[in-house]
Amino acid sequence: MCSRREQQNVDPCLDGKLMPAVLVEQEEDEEEEGTDDSSSSNGSSNSAGEAAGVPTFDVPYFRYIDEEEDGETEDEHEGEEEECSSSSYSRSLSSPEDDFGDSSVSRRYGSAWGAATPYRALGHLLNHLRLEADGSHTGSRDSDTILYDFLLTYLVYMSTSDLCQSLLGHYCSKRSTACEDMTDILLRKRKILLIVSQWNTLYRDFLRDNEYITLFLKSLYRFVLDDLYDYPSLEKELKDFQRLLSIQHRHTVDKSSPYRKSKGVHKQISAQENWLHPGTMPREEREVLYRLYVSEDSYISVKAQSSVRAQHLLSLVADRLDCLQEDMVLAALTYAGEKALLPPQDSVFSDCLSSVERLQVYRKDLTPVMSPLTDDAQQQQGTTHLLGLNAWDVAITLTSFDWSLFECVHEPELICFTCSRDAYVGHTGALERLLQRCNEVQLWVMTQVLLCSSLCTRVQLLKKFIKIAAHCKAQRNMNSFFAIIMGLNTAAISRLSQTWEKVPGKFRKLFSELETLTDPSLNHKAYRTTFKKMKTPKLPFLPLLLKDITFIHEGNKTFLDNLLNFDKLHMIAESARLIKHCQLDPMGDMLRPKDNPDMTCVKYLHVISSQETLFDLSHRLEPRP
């Protein structure tokens, strides 16, 4: 048994930041000379360092709340709303005490990783990974979990540059232990390449357009290319690396190579690569939720591509407000009062707008399209239109819209949004859009009710939104469900006592039952229990999931006595893993919205963003006694 570890033989260029000229242009003789001078590279680097089911939404139709007959009650349909699948996911949104008390993986982490510092965590990971003889991953459950948790949560305790340095350090080390032979070295190198491949798969767009990571991948590729002389079986990994880097390569044999003379079985490979520059890589079109302000305190939310033209946005606003597109212009407005008119054919990029700017729709004479408080005729027209829509169809439209946003959310976004050491600006867009949509649905509920001046119509609207909330729960869309219930529970709506008194008792009872699911007592136990029983696909309430991750991060120390607390990282990864579980099955055709132009008001929500305006409308409807 080996009793001591040899110090790692890491190239001097790895101590500190990556140096492009040194790493990319490094010669073989320099590498050989560096073998004798690697006395303290490891000691100074402590700080650097599911099968899918049936793709359907099997949900019942809440017919009883769509019928006004007194003979029907909620009890006839109770119990049909959800079915607990035998393969229901054990984690869901339950508390950490329920999930990690019996976790064998968590106990294994405590024993295997408890004594790990950030740099040596990679060394422990390499010891736990198991590869087949051909270099393929064995795929055991514990090994997969350890690898997934490490890659997902490394940003909690080290930066991306630290990870790159650690990966290069372990790969370039000639011998990590005194008893390590050539087979063990080859196995370690293959493990490093597997980690890099899995890292790229998990983080996807997070690694794009990052010059430091591009430099790291190029450097690692050159090291793999050089290792082909001694380890020709790495050719498979090299080809995978080339596909990863999108390299256009050509292999040639150098007849004068000393390797060809001394090692006839090996080929001298001189790769002439044409690296695909990040700026020339085709960028994926991403969707953005544009806020198009039509008055001082209200806007229309529109989902469109990031390269959308101003003319297209104006056409959507014209359809939503039932007015002529030719009478409107789009401008970028700053809080300083400056207006920059956007030509119709110009592309509108949200990234070009700073946090103090917004898109404003004006008439040709640069007056607002709508006044802050519209007249009664316009108010009644908007609310009457919503009352004419089927509540189930409205819920389907909300669920379909939310799912289109939710399926673009990836687990690393939760980590980067809550507890990342690196600043990934623009890479949490999918998560931020879903959070924005949740807030807008809440404001939309308030806006629709408060813009209705008729008492009887407001009562009908409250009944309509209670129906929609129940349907969203039946469709397992807890994001919109919470948004609607919270919108009805806001002070501006709940204070309308005269309106609530007119709501039939059946609907008030149903609202009270739905409201219990939003009860925050016992750490949202009612919601967590209900959501855990729901089958996939399902949409969680994202703000609560982010709160869980934040509490785990802030309530547990990352280091205990200068040792890495891997149980904390496992809990964070388990919480983030909920996203992957909820997305296991695609949304079935049952909940595909029909092409109904009347649903434009649901797809493109018109909301009042000013809380002051909302309270003013509430007091106008029912003044204080």
Side-chain angles (χ1 to χ4, degrees):
M1 173 179 263
C2 181
S3 61
R4 65 183 183 87
R5 289 182 176 271
E6 285 194 0
Q7 295 173 332
Q8 293 178 352
N9 184 16
V10 185
D11 193 277
C13 64
L14 300 178
D15 187 13
K17 295 186 177 180
L18 294 175
M19 301 300 293
V22 177
L23 286 177
V24 177
E25 303 296 336
Q26 182 183 25
E27 298 294 333
E28 296 177 4
D29 54 350
E30 294 178 352
E31 181 180 358
E32 294 175 357
E33 293 175 0
T35 305
D36 302 328
D37 300 329
S38 56
S39 58
S40 59
S41 59
N42 189 26
S44 61
S45 303
N46 288 338
S47 62
E50 280 136 359
V54 180
T56 58
F57 254 123
D58 185 16
V59 295
Y61 192 106
F62 272 88
R63 298 183 185 279
Y64 72 100
I65 61 176
D66 288 319
E67 300 176 1
E68 299 296 334
E69 299 179 4
D70 297 334
E72 294 191 353
T73 63
E74 297 87 342
D75 297 333
E76 297 176 3
H77 301 271
E78 191 175 9
E80 296 179 3
E81 183 176 340
E82 303 148 358
E83 294 182 4
C84 181
S85 174
S86 60
S87 61
S88 179
Y89 195 63
S90 60
R91 164 60 178 149
S92 186
L93 277 176
S94 56
S95 61
E97 292 80 1
D98 296 334
D99 293 299
F100 301 105
D102 299 330
S103 175
S104 61
V105 177
S106 179
R107 290 195 298 268
R108 181 173 179 178
Y109 284 171
S111 60
W113 295 72
T117 57
Y119 179 77
R120 294 186 179 180
L122 183 59
H124 285 286
L125 177 63
L126 294 174
N127 293 333
H128 283 83
L129 286 181
R130 296 293 179 264
L131 299 183
E132 299 289 353
D134 59 352
S136 59
H137 186 30
T138 58
S140 63
R141 181 176 180 180
D142 286 350
S143 180
D144 287 343
T145 302
I146 293 174
L147 178 58
Y148 175 89
D149 291 359
F150 173 84
L151 293 177
L152 183 62
T153 61
Y154 80 90
L155 288 171
V156 176
Y157 62 95
M158 69 166 65
S159 64
T160 299
S161 61
D162 293 333
L163 178 62
C164 293
Q165 298 289 348
S166 300
L167 289 170
L168 284 177
H170 280 281
Y171 185 88
C172 297
S173 175
K174 297 300 182 182
R175 303 176 72 187
S176 62
T177 62
C179 58
E180 191 177 37
D181 55 16
M182 295 290 290
T183 303
D184 295 331
I185 295 177
L186 174 62
L187 186 62
R188 170 165 49 82
K189 292 179 180 295
R190 279 178 165 169
K191 289 180 179 180
I192 291 293
L193 297 178
L194 172 64
I195 293 175
V196 173
S197 177
Q198 294 291 334
W199 180 36
N200 180 78
T201 302
L202 180 61
Y203 277 79
R204 301 181 185 181
D205 293 339
F206 287 75
L207 308 182
R208 176 178 294 186
D209 295 343
N210 189 315
E211 295 182 358
Y212 190 95
I213 295 177
T214 301
L215 175 60
F216 158 73
L217 293 176
K218 287 182 179 181
S219 303
L220 183 59
Y221 171 77
R222 292 301 180 95
F223 289 138
V224 177
L225 194 63
D226 292 340
D227 284 340
L228 283 181
Y229 303 133
D230 298 322
Y231 309 101
S233 57
L234 285 177
E235 187 171 0
K236 177 181 177 297
E237 284 78 4
L238 182 66
K239 292 180 179 179
D240 294 338
F241 219 115
Q242 290 166 347
R243 286 193 294 268
L244 177 65
L245 296 173
S246 301
I247 301 176
Q248 300 175 0
H249 63 282
R250 182 178 66 208
H251 294 306
T252 61
V253 177
D254 187 357
K255 296 182 179 180
S256 60
S257 171
Y259 285 92
R260 181 178 179 88
K261 297 178 181 179
S262 59
K263 300 180 181 181
V265 294
H266 297 306
K267 291 184 178 180
Q268 166 70 15
I269 298 178
S270 175
Q272 299 180 2
E273 307 95 351
N274 293 321
W275 299 93
L276 197 58
H277 192 271
T280 63
M281 295 181 64
R283 297 185 61 89
E284 295 182 1
E285 284 288 338
R286 59 186 181 89
E287 292 184 329
V288 179
L289 285 180
Y290 292 94
R291 296 177 179 179
L292 305 177
Y293 281 81
V294 294
S295 67
E296 292 292 336
D297 45 20
S298 69
Y299 65 86
I300 295 176
S301 179
V302 174
K303 184 175 73 169
Q305 297 293 332
S306 57
S307 59
V308 66
R309 300 184 183 276
Q311 184 178 9
H312 180 64
L313 292 180
L314 290 177
S315 65
L316 296 177
V317 174
D319 293 340
R320 179 65 178 84
L321 299 180
D322 195 17
C323 57
L324 296 177
Q325 175 184 346
E326 292 76 12
D327 296 337
M328 299 184 299
V329 294
L330 187 62
L333 178 65
T334 66
Y335 288 110
E338 300 176 357
K339 299 177 183 177
L341 297 181
L342 301 178
Q345 297 301 324
D346 278 10
S347 297
V348 179
F349 295 97
S350 60
D351 294 339
C352 298
L353 299 176
S354 64
S355 59
V356 296
E357 294 177 327
R358 67 183 188 183
L359 294 175
Q360 183 86 35
V361 180
Y362 290 104
R363 299 187 185 276
K364 289 290 187 179
D365 57 356
L366 296 183
T367 58
V369 176
M370 298 180 63
S371 57
L373 296 177
T374 57
D375 54 73
D376 292 345
Q378 289 177 312
Q379 297 171 20
Q380 291 293 338
Q381 182 180 3
T383 55
T384 304
H385 179 73
L386 179 61
L387 291 175
L389 300 177
N390 182 272
W392 180 262
D393 293 338
V394 173
I396 287 180
T397 304
L398 290 173
T399 301
S400 177
F401 194 101
D402 290 353
W403 184 260
S404 67
L405 299 176
F406 178 68
E407 65 182 355
C408 297
V409 179
H410 302 295
E411 305 97 299
E413 294 189 49
L414 301 177
I415 309 300
C416 296
F417 190 85
T418 54
C419 48
S420 172
R421 287 173 172 256
D422 292 343
Y424 283 97
V425 179
H427 289 289
T428 58
L431 177 61
E432 294 174 2
R433 288 191 292 272
L434 190 56
L435 295 175
Q436 177 183 338
R437 176 67 176 184
C438 182
N439 293 332
E440 289 174 350
V441 171
Q442 179 180 349
L443 292 174
W444 173 62
V445 172
M446 301 173 63
T447 301
Q448 291 294 312
V449 175
L450 296 177
L451 284 181
C452 183
S453 59
S454 172
L455 176 61
C456 295
T457 308
R458 285 202 304 276
V459 172
Q460 295 299 320
L461 273 176
L462 291 180
K463 293 168 56 179
K464 175 71 72 173
F465 281 120
I466 294 174
K467 293 179 186 180
I468 296 173
H471 289 323
C472 286
K473 177 176 176 286
Q475 297 167 12
R476 300 191 285 278
N477 179 8
M478 303 307 290
N479 208 55
S480 288
F481 167 79
F482 262 79
I484 295 174
I485 297 300
M486 290 190 302
L488 295 176
N489 269 330
T490 54
I493 301 297
S494 60
R495 66 170 299 276
L496 301 177
S497 57
Q498 300 177 16
T499 305
W500 283 101
E501 290 175 357
K502 297 294 183 179
V503 176
K506 179 174 68 173
F507 284 91
R508 289 205 302 269
K509 179 183 177 182
L510 176 60
F511 178 71
S512 179
E513 293 174 355
L514 299 176
E515 192 178 16
T516 57
L517 294 180
T518 63
D519 184 9
S521 61
L522 299 177
N523 195 18
H524 292 270
K525 181 179 179 180
Y527 161 73
R528 296 181 191 277
T529 303
T530 301
F531 188 79
K532 190 174 183 178
K533 296 178 180 178
M534 292 181 176
K535 297 184 298 183
T536 58
K538 53 187 178 181
L539 280 83
F541 182 50
L542 261 298
L544 183 58
L545 180 57
L546 293 175
K547 189 202 79 169
D548 290 342
I549 296 177
T550 302
F551 272 49
I552 294 174
H553 178 53
E554 298 294 339
N556 297 273
K557 294 182 178 180
T558 305
F559 298 96
L560 299 175
D561 298 330
N562 202 28
L563 302 178
L564 182 61
N565 181 9
F566 214 86
D567 281 337
K568 167 186 174 177
L569 305 182
H570 177 57
M571 288 191 293
I572 292 177
E574 278 287 278
S575 298
R577 216 188 320 266
L578 176 67
I579 295 292
K580 185 178 181 180
H581 167 68
C582 293
Q583 297 171 343
L584 282 179
D585 301 325
M587 186 177 64
D589 294 335
M590 182 180 178
L591 292 183
R592 295 293 181 185
K594 301 177 182 178
D595 294 334
N596 187 356
D598 295 334
M599 290 294 172
T600 304
C601 63
V602 182
K603 295 179 181 178
Y604 308 131
L605 301 180
H606 180 203
V607 302
I608 296 177
S609 57
S610 172
Q611 292 294 327
E612 182 179 356
T613 302
L614 292 172
F615 268 99
D616 184 52
L617 288 172
S618 178
H619 287 289
R620 286 174 181 242
L621 295 176
E622 294 187 17
R624 293 178 179 176

